[in-house]
Amino acid sequence: MSMKLLILGLLMERERHPYDIRQTIKQRNWNECFKLRDGSLYYAVDQLRDHELIEAAEIVAVPGDNRPDKTIYRVTEKGKAAFDKLLYDQLSQVSYPQHPVFLTLPFIRYGDQEQVEQLLLKQLAACEDRIKRMEAVLEFKGPYIPNGSQMMIKGIKKFGETEKEWLLELLEETRSGRLLQGPSWSIEQIEQYLKSYSGPQISEE
Amino acid sequence: MSMKLLILGLLMERERHPYDIRQTIKQRNWNECFKLRDGSLYYAVDQLRDHELIEAAEIVAVPGDNRPDKTIYRVTEKGKAAFDKLLYDQLSQVSYPQHPVFLTLPFIRYGDQEQVEQLLLKQLAACEDRIKRMEAVLEFKGPYIPNGSQMMIKGIKKFGETEKEWLLELLEETRSGRLLQGPSWSIEQIEQYLKSYSGPQISEE
DNA sequence: TTGTCCGTACTCAAATTTGAATACCCTAGA
DNA sequence: TCTAGGGTATTCAAATTTGAGTACGGACAA
């Protein structure tokens, strides 16, 4: 689980409490390619603690302040070894192209042209915003951050540009009416064909 | 949840039992952009049944065969309405660029050059395989499937090509040693800078 | 004939994620 | 002065995902 990698990685820099980790993840824009939820963060911290990969260094309670105490964690020796493994595990994960629109496409012809066009335009706007954000990050933070972090931001930007091109193609298909057209074969015919298909093996993942 | 969209969508074509849905998802290569697990599939089917979006049309028990019975489902009227909503919901989801390598990059300088290079090469190979698979699908199934489904496959291919270019850049950075270099500023300096950063607002998502 | 692998069909406990809620302090405006 | 909104810091029940089973039949090889 990648949350654990991020936590251990940040704790290798210095001691932190969970909320500080959360701030830092946002500050470094890691949440652009990763779903950050408080629940998952605190759960992962508990797991790491229970497995002795991290340990409480200090518990800060501001006197006369009734806000929750901060538990500041540090990484243990065991944790440093685990970090290494997690890093290579993450680097070995199979990647999957994901986009919410992908899975709508097989059914998009059941949708309404107007509706579909509007929603694709929203996707496009969100995508353009993301590209702009990444450009700003590169300009203002780029020179000061590690090369790897820069490559992450550049990657997000590059993927965003591809997404944008693809969304534009989709919009074109929608406007021309092609996207909403049914298949030239009936579902039954397609199923027959696919069942009897014996061309080159297209294996799964 | 996208599993539900796929199930309802397939049941709009014709009645099916869960395992048939599973087969069809694979046959149509939807699992290239979607994590298909038996557990999630059966769970989603149960949920849909409990909410009366689908109902059992028939329970097939082959006599003299002790294998589990097949429950064949059909979509209800309520289910058809829910499908419409799910379709637009999915189309409205915010998209996120995801790649396992993204989150390793901020820490990649803690890794070993040889190791990192090997793993990136594996990523590259997997990515090239995916592109080839998608090309085969387009060639052999493309002409017979709906336009939307074609656009899905083309999208996966296009995203794959971007991924490939980006992995090649990363490999170049790795081989040159740049990727594993530390930041020009210390972590403390970077944190100071980011805290006091007051350029254009780079808002989150 | 016996073992072993693959495909069909489904189940389940345990791990994890989700989304919302809590509780507190501070600031700034009506 | 009051209160609405935003940031700090964490918790929790319920929903969902995961990963590893179960069980059977057929094919094929030794």
PDB file of all heavy atoms in Angstrom, chain B residues 8 11 48 52 82 105-107 140 145 192 202 205:
ATOM      1  N   LEU B   8     -24.734  -3.716 -14.741  1.00  0.00           N
ATOM      2  CA  LEU B   8     -26.018  -3.262 -15.277  1.00  0.00           C
ATOM      3  C   LEU B   8     -25.949  -3.132 -16.794  1.00  0.00           C
ATOM      4  O   LEU B   8     -26.864  -3.557 -17.503  1.00  0.00           O
ATOM      5  CB  LEU B   8     -26.411  -1.921 -14.641  1.00  0.00           C
ATOM      6  CG  LEU B   8     -26.897  -1.996 -13.194  1.00  0.00           C
ATOM      7  CD1 LEU B   8     -27.171  -0.609 -12.657  1.00  0.00           C
ATOM      8  CD2 LEU B   8     -28.148  -2.850 -13.081  1.00  0.00           C
ATOM      9  N   LEU B  11     -26.149  -6.467 -18.360  1.00  0.00           N
ATOM     10  CA  LEU B  11     -27.474  -7.074 -18.213  1.00  0.00           C
ATOM     11  C   LEU B  11     -28.521  -6.373 -19.066  1.00  0.00           C
ATOM     12  O   LEU B  11     -29.582  -6.931 -19.328  1.00  0.00           O
ATOM     13  CB  LEU B  11     -27.898  -7.076 -16.744  1.00  0.00           C
ATOM     14  CG  LEU B  11     -27.119  -8.043 -15.852  1.00  0.00           C
ATOM     15  CD1 LEU B  11     -27.639  -8.005 -14.437  1.00  0.00           C
ATOM     16  CD2 LEU B  11     -27.166  -9.466 -16.393  1.00  0.00           C
ATOM     17  N   LEU B  48     -26.731  -5.176  -5.892  1.00  0.00           N
ATOM     18  CA  LEU B  48     -27.718  -4.795  -6.899  1.00  0.00           C
ATOM     19  C   LEU B  48     -29.013  -5.568  -6.684  1.00  0.00           C
ATOM     20  O   LEU B  48     -30.106  -5.012  -6.792  1.00  0.00           O
ATOM     21  CB  LEU B  48     -27.168  -5.056  -8.312  1.00  0.00           C
ATOM     22  CG  LEU B  48     -26.020  -4.135  -8.753  1.00  0.00           C
ATOM     23  CD1 LEU B  48     -25.423  -4.614 -10.074  1.00  0.00           C
ATOM     24  CD2 LEU B  48     -26.513  -2.698  -8.907  1.00  0.00           C
ATOM     25  N   GLU B  52     -32.811  -4.287  -5.543  1.00  0.00           N
ATOM     26  CA  GLU B  52     -33.825  -4.554  -6.583  1.00  0.00           C
ATOM     27  C   GLU B  52     -33.527  -3.880  -7.915  1.00  0.00           C
ATOM     28  O   GLU B  52     -34.446  -3.525  -8.650  1.00  0.00           O
ATOM     29  CB  GLU B  52     -35.220  -4.154  -6.092  1.00  0.00           C
ATOM     30  CG  GLU B  52     -35.619  -4.964  -4.882  1.00  0.00           C
ATOM     31  CD  GLU B  52     -36.943  -4.524  -4.297  1.00  0.00           C
ATOM     32  OE1 GLU B  52     -37.131  -3.290  -4.206  1.00  0.00           O
ATOM     33  OE2 GLU B  52     -37.752  -5.373  -3.938  1.00  0.00           O
ATOM     34  N   ALA B  82     -31.355   3.374 -12.705  1.00  0.00           N
ATOM     35  CA  ALA B  82     -30.106   3.488 -11.958  1.00  0.00           C
ATOM     36  C   ALA B  82     -28.904   3.469 -12.906  1.00  0.00           C
ATOM     37  O   ALA B  82     -27.913   4.165 -12.690  1.00  0.00           O
ATOM     38  CB  ALA B  82     -29.994   2.347 -10.957  1.00  0.00           C
ATOM     39  N   LEU B 105       8.999   8.223  -7.066  1.00  0.00           N
ATOM     40  CA  LEU B 105       9.985   9.187  -7.543  1.00  0.00           C
ATOM     41  C   LEU B 105      10.528  10.132  -6.468  1.00  0.00           C
ATOM     42  O   LEU B 105      11.725  10.408  -6.438  1.00  0.00           O
ATOM     43  CB  LEU B 105       9.426   9.961  -8.740  1.00  0.00           C
ATOM     44  CG  LEU B 105       9.373   9.110 -10.020  1.00  0.00           C
ATOM     45  CD1 LEU B 105       8.713   9.883 -11.146  1.00  0.00           C
ATOM     46  CD2 LEU B 105      10.768   8.664 -10.418  1.00  0.00           C
ATOM     47  N   PRO B 106       9.663  10.616  -5.557  1.00  0.00           N
ATOM     48  CA  PRO B 106      10.220  11.495  -4.518  1.00  0.00           C
ATOM     49  C   PRO B 106      11.268  10.790  -3.662  1.00  0.00           C
ATOM     50  O   PRO B 106      12.060  11.452  -2.989  1.00  0.00           O
ATOM     51  CB  PRO B 106       8.984  11.843  -3.665  1.00  0.00           C
ATOM     52  CG  PRO B 106       7.809  11.597  -4.530  1.00  0.00           C
ATOM     53  CD  PRO B 106       8.205  10.504  -5.461  1.00  0.00           C
ATOM     54  N   PHE B 107      11.270   9.466  -3.678  1.00  0.00           N
ATOM     55  CA  PHE B 107      12.195   8.708  -2.828  1.00  0.00           C
ATOM     56  C   PHE B 107      13.215   7.939  -3.629  1.00  0.00           C
ATOM     57  O   PHE B 107      14.024   7.198  -3.073  1.00  0.00           O
ATOM     58  CB  PHE B 107      11.409   7.712  -1.975  1.00  0.00           C
ATOM     59  CG  PHE B 107      10.274   8.332  -1.237  1.00  0.00           C
ATOM     60  CD1 PHE B 107       8.971   7.945  -1.484  1.00  0.00           C
ATOM     61  CD2 PHE B 107      10.517   9.327  -0.290  1.00  0.00           C
ATOM     62  CE1 PHE B 107       7.918   8.535  -0.805  1.00  0.00           C
ATOM     63  CE2 PHE B 107       9.477   9.915   0.395  1.00  0.00           C
ATOM     64  CZ  PHE B 107       8.172   9.529   0.136  1.00  0.00           C
ATOM     65  N   PHE B 140      -8.278  -6.864 -34.838  1.00  0.00           N
ATOM     66  CA  PHE B 140      -9.129  -8.038 -35.009  1.00  0.00           C
ATOM     67  C   PHE B 140     -10.555  -7.876 -34.507  1.00  0.00           C
ATOM     68  O   PHE B 140     -11.452  -8.539 -34.982  1.00  0.00           O
ATOM     69  CB  PHE B 140      -8.467  -9.262 -34.374  1.00  0.00           C
ATOM     70  CG  PHE B 140      -7.207  -9.635 -35.085  1.00  0.00           C
ATOM     71  CD1 PHE B 140      -5.965  -9.244 -34.593  1.00  0.00           C
ATOM     72  CD2 PHE B 140      -7.266 -10.328 -36.287  1.00  0.00           C
ATOM     73  CE1 PHE B 140      -4.813  -9.560 -35.286  1.00  0.00           C
ATOM     74  CE2 PHE B 140      -6.108 -10.645 -36.980  1.00  0.00           C
ATOM     75  CZ  PHE B 140      -4.867 -10.260 -36.479  1.00  0.00           C
ATOM     76  N   ILE B 145     -16.971  -3.891 -33.210  1.00  0.00           N
ATOM     77  CA  ILE B 145     -17.476  -3.411 -31.931  1.00  0.00           C
ATOM     78  C   ILE B 145     -17.986  -1.978 -32.034  1.00  0.00           C
ATOM     79  O   ILE B 145     -17.672  -1.280 -32.998  1.00  0.00           O
ATOM     80  CB  ILE B 145     -16.391  -3.529 -30.841  1.00  0.00           C
ATOM     81  CG1 ILE B 145     -15.193  -2.650 -31.169  1.00  0.00           C
ATOM     82  CG2 ILE B 145     -15.954  -4.985 -30.670  1.00  0.00           C
ATOM     83  CD1 ILE B 145     -14.071  -2.738 -30.155  1.00  0.00           C
ATOM     84  N   GLN B 192      11.305  25.248   4.384  1.00  0.00           N
ATOM     85  CA  GLN B 192      11.218  26.680   4.657  1.00  0.00           C
ATOM     86  C   GLN B 192      10.608  27.414   3.477  1.00  0.00           C
ATOM     87  O   GLN B 192       9.665  28.180   3.614  1.00  0.00           O
ATOM     88  CB  GLN B 192      12.632  27.258   4.929  1.00  0.00           C
ATOM     89  CG  GLN B 192      13.014  27.287   6.387  1.00  0.00           C
ATOM     90  CD  GLN B 192      11.933  27.898   7.260  1.00  0.00           C
ATOM     91  OE1 GLN B 192      11.457  28.981   7.001  1.00  0.00           O
ATOM     92  NE2 GLN B 192      11.518  27.163   8.303  1.00  0.00           N
ATOM     93  N   ILE B 202      -1.621  27.373  -5.930  1.00  0.00           N
ATOM     94  CA  ILE B 202      -1.731  26.083  -6.587  1.00  0.00           C
ATOM     95  C   ILE B 202      -2.682  25.265  -5.727  1.00  0.00           C
ATOM     96  O   ILE B 202      -2.267  24.699  -4.731  1.00  0.00           O
ATOM     97  CB  ILE B 202      -0.360  25.391  -6.646  1.00  0.00           C
ATOM     98  CG1 ILE B 202       0.615  26.227  -7.460  1.00  0.00           C
ATOM     99  CG2 ILE B 202      -0.506  23.996  -7.217  1.00  0.00           C
ATOM    100  CD1 ILE B 202       2.065  25.893  -7.224  1.00  0.00           C
ATOM    101  N   GLU B 205      -6.777  19.143  -5.094  1.00  0.00           N
ATOM    102  CA  GLU B 205      -7.989  18.494  -5.593  1.00  0.00           C
ATOM    103  C   GLU B 205      -8.415  17.430  -4.606  1.00  0.00           C
ATOM    104  O   GLU B 205      -7.649  16.804  -3.979  1.00  0.00           O
ATOM    105  CB  GLU B 205      -7.794  17.898  -6.970  1.00  0.00           C
ATOM    106  CG  GLU B 205      -6.792  16.754  -7.140  1.00  0.00           C
ATOM    107  CD  GLU B 205      -6.648  16.407  -8.628  1.00  0.00           C
ATOM    108  OE1 GLU B 205      -6.825  17.323  -9.449  1.00  0.00           O
ATOM    109  OE2 GLU B 205      -6.390  15.262  -8.958  1.00  0.00           O
TER     110      GLU B 205
END
